[in-house]
Amino acid sequence: MKAVVLEQVEGQTQAEVKQITVPGEELGNVLVDVEWSSLNYKDALAITGKGKIIRNFPMVPGIDFAGRVAASSDSAFNAGQEVVLTGWGVGENHWGGLAEQARVKSEWLVPLPAGLTARKAMIVGTAGFTAMLCVMALEEAGITPQSGEVVVTGASGGVGSTAIALLHALGYQVVAVSGRESTHDYLRQLGASRILPRSEFAETRPLEKQVWAGAVDTVGGNVLAKLLAQMNYSGCVAACGLAGGFSLPTTVMPFILRNVRLQGVDSVSAPIERRIAAWERLAKLLPESFYQTATTEISLEQAAKFADDIMNNAVQGRTLVKVS
Ligand code: NDP
């Protein structure tokens, strides 16, 4: 099969498209013909070697994929069935989706919900799935469209773009925080009603004027600290990312004086029932225009170049990889 293969050469990660042997059944009871994969921030960290995502080389990257079951020894999946996979360490410590076939465990797979094609599922990908989990976290914290504005950081990235589209579809007033002026038209098309520059989030005090009912934060660091200081009483921040750094220079004040909730969101080990619920909602909520506006389609051969672009904050929306 054709695959992107990562190897370590003199301490540097190198990515090359190669012909390799399909892994045997000991690595998983389902073989999937991968049709589409995508590039997420974590893929970019892995492919460029800028993050310590991969410890054992050679490795096939790709933390998500969609395609058809080629063979399964679990009767829950039949040959020809359409499936989607995100997370579980696939593309990190188990060969991933940037390959014509993937061998995985049946419990990692989600049947493709009605209303989604494999291509659409990978336009959504791990990033969009995580955005849905963040929106669900805000709903579970009681944040409704009537509660007030919801802010999304890292807005023109994959998680941010999908979060804006989802929140807009649900009737929330969405405010985007972005470091790039070039993406403002795009953010408005997705449904942002206001756009704030990232530079406004560089410094903060323990408490500031209350502005936000909810927040989806993909950035961490000072940006997340400022969001916390600006949350309304009983507001909720769904925090899923670290595009701006993994530190959190904050105080307890928003929590003990304003009843603010900081809800962590992880997509890698999300339980299967939550995955199915999230994919069903994604299939229903995202408008056709999202798939057109938010997608850059590339080939396996272009994955390494686009991983560099993602690390340089030069990609907007989702990067879809046509595998076969
Ligand atoms: P993208 O690269 O698509 O988007 C990240 C966005 O963050 C960029 O578009 C940019 O938005 C902003 N950004 C980039 N660099 C910086 C910086 N130095 N400081 C502040 N903002 C910055 O990534 P994804 O959307 O795929 O992922 C976003 C984050 O969410 C990542 O940290 C990723 O690891 C995390 N994530 C976590 C998951 C989980 O399970 N918890 C799952 C998926 C993603 P703009 O130009 O508009 O400012």
Side-chain angles (χ1 to χ4, degrees):
M1 66 175 179
K2 189 162 90 167
V4 176
V5 179
L6 300 182
E7 277 171 298
Q8 282 289 87
V9 180
E10 292 167 6
Q12 304 288 315
T13 303
Q14 284 193 354
E16 214 181 316
V17 177
K18 285 187 179 173
Q19 285 293 333
I20 56 168
T21 311
V22 179
E25 254 185 275
E26 67 284 0
L27 288 179
N29 52 357
V30 184
L31 183 66
V32 180
D33 288 328
V34 177
E35 292 166 359
W36 301 93
S37 184
S38 82
L39 289 186
N40 298 273
Y41 189 81
K42 198 187 258 178
D43 294 310
L45 286 172
I47 293 170
T48 59
K50 292 205 166 119
K52 288 226 175 331
I53 305 293
I54 291 168
R55 294 182 192 277
N56 293 312
F57 294 87
M59 178 57 63
V60 175
I63 65 168
D64 50 24
F65 63 78
R68 281 177 196 278
V69 171
S72 169
S73 54
D74 180 342
S75 59
F77 291 94
N78 308 312
Q81 188 174 351
E82 290 193 292
V83 289
V84 56
L85 180 145
T86 65
W88 300 117
V90 171
E92 299 182 56
N93 49 44
H94 184 103
W95 284 12
L98 291 172
E100 288 172 329
Q101 290 193 308
R103 180 159 297 277
V104 294
K105 295 186 180 165
S106 52
E107 60 262 35
W108 295 345
L109 291 167
V110 172
L112 204 65
L116 278 188
T117 59
R119 185 174 188 276
K120 281 182 167 176
M122 275 303 106
I123 294 174
V124 173
T126 303
F129 171 66
T130 306
M132 188 72 246
L133 295 179
C134 289
V135 171
M136 285 158 68
L138 296 185
E139 290 173 337
E140 285 154 12
I143 313 301
T144 68
Q146 288 68 46
S147 305
E149 285 182 318
V150 175
V151 62
V152 176
T153 65
S156 29
V159 177
S161 297
T162 322
I164 293 171
L166 289 169
L167 288 162
H168 179 65
L170 286 163
Y172 289 87
Q173 283 291 310
V174 193
V175 178
V177 177
S178 176
R180 286 183 273 176
E181 253 184 57
S182 59
T183 60
H184 285 197
D185 286 348
Y186 166 70
L187 296 172
R188 283 201 186 87
Q189 278 175 42
L190 290 174
S193 59
R194 302 200 278 139
I195 300 165
L196 299 175
R198 195 196 294 162
S199 54
E200 274 188 23
F201 287 73
E203 282 175 14
T204 185
R205 298 188 304 277
L207 287 175
E208 299 190 19
K209 184 167 168 271
Q210 297 182 38
V211 190
W212 315 115
V216 173
D217 179 59
T218 71
V219 164
N222 290 341
V223 173
L224 175 54
K226 190 160 184 100
L227 289 183
L228 286 167
Q230 293 185 335
M231 295 309 292
N232 290 352
Y233 193 88
S234 284
C236 177
V237 181
C240 71
L242 42 55
F246 62 76
S247 72
L248 179 51
T250 188
T251 73
V252 297
M253 295 310 202
F255 309 112
I256 64 172
L257 295 180
R258 291 197 181 150
N259 216 48
V260 168
R261 184 190 294 196
L262 176 56
Q263 178 63 56
V265 173
D266 165 64
S267 67
V268 176
S269 306
I272 190 72
E273 306 72 39
R274 199 159 175 81
R275 285 172 188 266
I276 290 170
W279 279 108
E280 278 176 0
R281 290 198 69 197
L282 283 159
K284 291 203 182 89
L285 281 173
L286 285 172
E288 207 49 48
S289 57
F290 169 79
Y291 296 101
Q292 276 135 32
T293 316
T295 313
T296 305
E297 187 179 312
I298 66 166
S299 64
L300 273 185
E301 286 74 11
Q302 291 171 297
K305 189 236 173 237
F306 273 81
D308 267 334
D309 289 351
I310 288 177
M311 289 322 301
N312 294 328
N313 198 194
V315 171
Q316 76 180 30
R318 296 278 301 133
T319 306
L320 174 70
V321 185
K322 184 172 172 46
V323 178
S324 55

